[in-house]
Amino acid sequence: MARPRTPAGRARETLARLEEEYPDVVCALHHDGPFQLLVATILSAQSTDVRVNLVTPALFARYPTPEDLAGADPADVEELVRTTGFFRNKTKSLIGMATALVERFGGEVPHDLADLVTLPGVGRKTGNVVRSVALGLPGLPVDTHVGRLSRRLGMTTETDPVKVEMELNRYVPPSGRGDFSLRLIEHGRRVCVARKPRCADCVLNDFCPSSTVRMKR
């Protein structure tokens, strides 16, 4: 096949190949509904999904609803989330987020990104995670993996996550944005790792501008 030579073409080919490579991709954060995913995603900052998944069962058992978390003792929450790092700031964000849900949104997680990003501890990435994974709405979360792979693949030259998101949104249909992000993340963890990408094992190596090998497909 002819190598795609534009950012849009590389995005389309990446989307198609990663869909075949990772057909059953899912969010790695364990959750039951948008509130739990919102909590888990806030905790995942500067932490790993594995670590967060070890912490959240006890946290959700103690504080199953926004109302419960809004009235929580900060010291108790801090102890429950301590191992995720930055536990004091995360506790403040969690309780503030839950309080805002109760006071401004009737205890429900809002659907609009403009509303989500008004919650303490919630930026565009977290809002897009909740929208795309838990609410079935368009959203393309840009984490370090998505940003790194997007630049390596020549889909963008931007370094700001919001600008990366806006550029990728031009190339990816709304219904596929969440899964595209999840597949880039999976590929970034398995193959296109930060320090020594495994280009010889990559299904994108025949057109990736950063590839150290050039395979024919």
Side-chain angles (χ1 to χ4, degrees), residues 67-97:
E67 290 80 4
D68 294 322
L69 187 56
D73 178 356
D76 185 49
V77 177
E78 286 180 3
E79 192 58 34
L80 288 168
V81 306
R82 179 180 295 272
T83 59
T84 67
F86 302 96
F87 61 94
R88 291 191 179 89
N89 286 338
K90 289 180 180 180
T91 294
K92 183 177 179 181
S93 292
L94 290 176
I95 294 176
M97 175 272 292

Side-chain angles (χ1 to χ4, degrees), residues 130-152:
V130 173
R131 278 174 56 85
S132 61
V133 174
L135 297 173
L137 298 170
L140 204 160
V142 176
D143 71 349
T144 56
H145 296 292
V146 174
R148 181 177 74 252
L149 269 65
S150 297
R151 288 184 289 275
R152 284 180 175 173

Side-chain angles (χ1 to χ4, degrees), residues 173-196:
S175 62
R177 288 171 185 167
D179 283 348
F180 185 58
S181 174
L182 288 174
R183 289 184 172 109
L184 285 175
I185 292 169
E186 190 71 14
H187 196 61
R189 287 172 173 165
R190 294 191 187 188
V191 179
C192 194
V193 295
R195 294 192 177 183
K196 293 184 179 180

